Amino acid sequence: MFTPTRAAGLEALDAFVPHAGAEYARGRNLDTGGDRNNVSGLSPYIRHRLLTEREVVAAVLEQHGASASQKFVQEVFWRTYWKGWLEQNPEVWRRYRRELADDWLTDAADTPGYREAIEGRTGIDAMDSWARELIDTGYLHNHTRMWFASIWIFTLGLPWQLGADFFLRHLLDGDAASNTLSWRWVAGLQTRGKTYLATVSNISRYTDGRFSPTGLATSAHALVEEPLPPRGVIPPADAVPGGARLGLLLHEEDLDAASLLRDHPWLSVDDTTAAASSVDRIVATAVAADPESRSPSGASDAVRRFTASAVEDAASRARDVDGRPARVLADALPSTVLEWAASERLDGVVVAYAPVGPVQERVASLWPALRSEGVTLTAVRRRWDSITWPHAARGFFPFREQIPSLLRQQGL
Ligand SMILES: Cc1cc2nc3c(=O)[nH]c(=O)nc-3n(C[C@H](O)[C@H](O)[C@H](O)COP(=O)(O)OP(=O)(O)OC[C@H]3O[C@@H](n4cnc5c(N)ncnc54)[C@H](O)[C@@H]3O)c2cc1C
């Protein structure tokens, strides 16, 4: 269903744009199964930045104008909102990661109830079909994700963290922010006290009668948790790195070197060269990914395959100053990155900013390793993220009010 290349993403975008106006707003909640053209199916591309949020939004705005595009644009901004919110509340992610290792959760993962849920054997036909669809395709429709999470938590009484982990291991678009915070939202932790209850009438209506599961919970009491620490501030983007020989390191959060470099002209233009090439300061590029770090239980075969091919695609598109394609590193360990930096005689490594999640944890371990060898590490953040994230401080609705102004600041 999803070919992990930017070219395939652009083709999918082209095919979807005509449907992204009023038709999307009317029909997006329906999950009729099979080939869906009422939603874009672009999330695996956007999540790896094989496509950027900016170009997807720009294409839809150009064809439909601001008013008819409003719903679709808002949905893309949900992703941006979740990322900005988690960036300011990283403890939510850290706590989730710690909890997955807690005894009570590892015990819960040993119970027949959990195994039945992830193997599609609960006896609730809808749940079983969705679990198999997730495993087989790496994708679920948004409404189905909401029903699944609600039934998991309130009907089956399973811990939300194990459901989030199941999703993160299998979703091609699996994302620390959108996934963790959406599960928390269903559970009543994100908008404190407000839960999402899946009902048979809603499921039957929006699956076009494919499913009418019986025996679902009829109430949903919000889960509770220890208070979170106060919200943090998003640090300013890193300063321009020094050093004559810089290497660019891409990872599975951001696989489009060309648009990343366009956002940072100081990387692209060597002031000392009159005929500046577009990649003058970047003398070497490498791509490193580790989808296994999504979960203590790793990632599904489908996610591993998607990521590996997406990385190959990014490497083939990111040419160095002398026309060499980028190097795909065998793994994302600091020692492997160091070896690459040494082989290219780099003074510094520029890395695409990794938002809160497994890749950020990995990049954090690179700093001391590179510094000990005298190599600088600079994280460059995209304009889209720097402009939007600070506004994701409270709920989505005040954030949504800012969308027109945020678009203007992006020149859209
Ligand atoms: C429990 C649960 C877990 C989820 N986990 C993830 C996840 O790991 N990764 C992920 O990308 N999305 C996640 N979502 C959000 C949403 O379900 C998917 O982004 C959407 O279904 C992707 O399909 P699409 O590209 O066809 O969406 P479309 O409807 O075509 O939307 C266009 C784009 O907007 C963004 N988007 C749309 N809806 C949302 C939303 N509610 N939250 C965040 N972004 C949105 C996506 O980038 C999507 O590609 C989750 C939702 C729930 C309820």
Side-chain angles (χ1 to χ4, degrees):
M1 268 170 83
F2 301 98
T3 305
T5 63
R6 174 165 163 78
L10 286 169
E11 233 173 79
L13 175 61
D14 259 9
F16 181 69
V17 163
H19 308 284
E23 193 185 330
Y24 174 82
R26 262 195 323 273
R28 70 184 188 90
N29 275 328
L30 202 62
D31 184 5
T32 51
D35 283 344
R36 303 176 182 87
N37 56 14
N38 57 328
V39 288
S40 71
L42 292 175
S43 54
Y45 300 100
I46 299 174
R47 180 257 176 268
H48 292 91
R49 281 200 164 141
L50 289 171
L51 296 179
T52 66
E53 292 89 333
R54 189 185 189 286
E55 71 188 328
V56 168
V57 165
V60 172
L61 281 172
E62 191 183 335
Q63 175 136 356
H64 298 281
S67 171
S69 304
Q70 192 185 38
K71 196 70 212 168
F72 182 80
V73 171
Q74 276 175 10
E75 292 307 310
V76 175
F77 270 91
W78 263 109
R79 169 183 156 81
T80 301
Y81 168 75
W82 287 136
K83 293 211 90 72
W85 192 92
L86 193 60
E87 216 54 30
Q88 297 174 71
N89 298 276
E91 176 60 16
V92 167
W93 171 253
R94 293 182 197 135
R95 191 183 281 182
Y96 159 76
R97 291 285 253 192
R98 282 197 305 273
E99 284 169 348
L100 282 178
D102 277 356
D103 287 348
W104 69 274
L105 268 188
T106 45
D107 289 350
D110 270 341
T111 58
Y114 169 74
R115 298 236 62 88
E116 283 160 12
I118 63 167
E119 288 166 10
R121 296 187 289 107
T122 62
I124 303 174
D125 61 346
M127 276 302 266
D128 295 346
S129 169
W130 295 329
R132 284 193 296 269
E133 182 181 354
L134 174 61
I135 291 168
D136 292 347
T137 68
Y139 178 87
L140 286 179
H141 183 282
N142 180 59
H143 217 160
T144 299
R145 296 183 199 204
M146 291 162 61
W147 296 321
F148 188 101
S150 178
I151 296 172
W152 178 283
I153 297 167
F154 301 115
T155 300
L156 301 176
L158 291 166
W160 74 267
Q161 297 91 334
L162 291 183
D165 181 62
F166 176 52
F167 267 27
L168 202 53
R169 280 186 283 129
H170 287 278
L171 283 171
L172 300 183
D173 66 27
D175 175 80
S178 292
N179 189 55
T180 315
L181 303 182
S182 297
W183 274 86
R184 285 172 53 83
W185 178 82
V186 171
L189 293 166
Q190 192 61 21
T191 307
R192 205 168 307 152
K194 184 177 174 294
T195 53
Y196 176 77
L197 180 67
T199 63
V200 60
S201 59
N202 186 264
I203 294 173
S204 173
R205 174 172 170 205
Y206 285 101
T207 58
D208 223 2
R210 282 189 306 135
F211 299 112
S212 294
T214 51
L216 301 188
T218 51
S219 61
H221 297 293
L223 306 187
V224 286
E225 65 179 350
E226 291 291 310
L228 292 169
R231 169 161 53 86
V233 176
I234 298 174
D238 279 347
V240 179
R245 291 181 65 81
L246 297 178
L248 176 66
L249 179 64
L250 300 173
H251 47 66
E252 65 267 41
E253 289 284 343
D254 202 317
L255 291 174
D256 189 38
S259 55
L260 182 68
L261 292 175
R262 271 199 303 278
D263 256 8
H264 298 283
W266 48 267
L267 274 178
S268 315
V269 181
D270 180 348
D271 310 331
T272 61
T273 316
S277 113
S278 63
V279 282
D280 270 334
R281 293 192 68 189
I282 301 292
V283 296
T285 304
V287 196
D290 177 18
E292 296 291 311
S293 61
R294 284 181 178 208
S295 155
S297 316
S300 70
D301 287 348
V303 166
R304 279 204 299 271
R305 275 197 306 273
F306 186 95
T307 312
S309 301
V311 160
E312 290 289 345
D313 177 64
S316 70
R317 285 181 288 107
R319 302 216 160 245
D320 296 335
V321 69
D322 56 5
R324 281 180 305 162
R327 169 113 56 97
V328 175
L329 302 185
D331 56 55
L333 294 172
S335 54
T336 310
V337 176
L338 259 179
E339 245 171 62
W340 165 68
S343 71
E344 299 288 349
R345 292 176 293 110
L346 300 179
D347 304 313
V349 170
V350 173
V351 65
Y353 184 90
V356 172
V359 182
Q360 189 178 83
E361 290 164 6
R362 208 164 74 212
V363 170
S365 69
L366 269 182
W367 290 86
L370 289 175
R371 199 182 311 118
S372 70
E373 297 298 316
V375 180
T376 60
L377 182 66
T378 307
V380 288
R381 200 157 57 215
R382 285 178 182 265
R383 258 175 71 71
W384 181 276
D385 300 336
S386 288
I387 289 174
T388 55
W389 284 353
H391 295 275
R394 294 178 293 135
F396 181 71
F397 295 100
F399 178 76
R400 190 175 71 178
E401 301 298 306
Q402 301 294 320
I403 292 177
S405 145
L406 296 173
L407 289 174
R408 273 195 303 278
Q409 291 175 59
Q410 309 271 351
L412 293 172

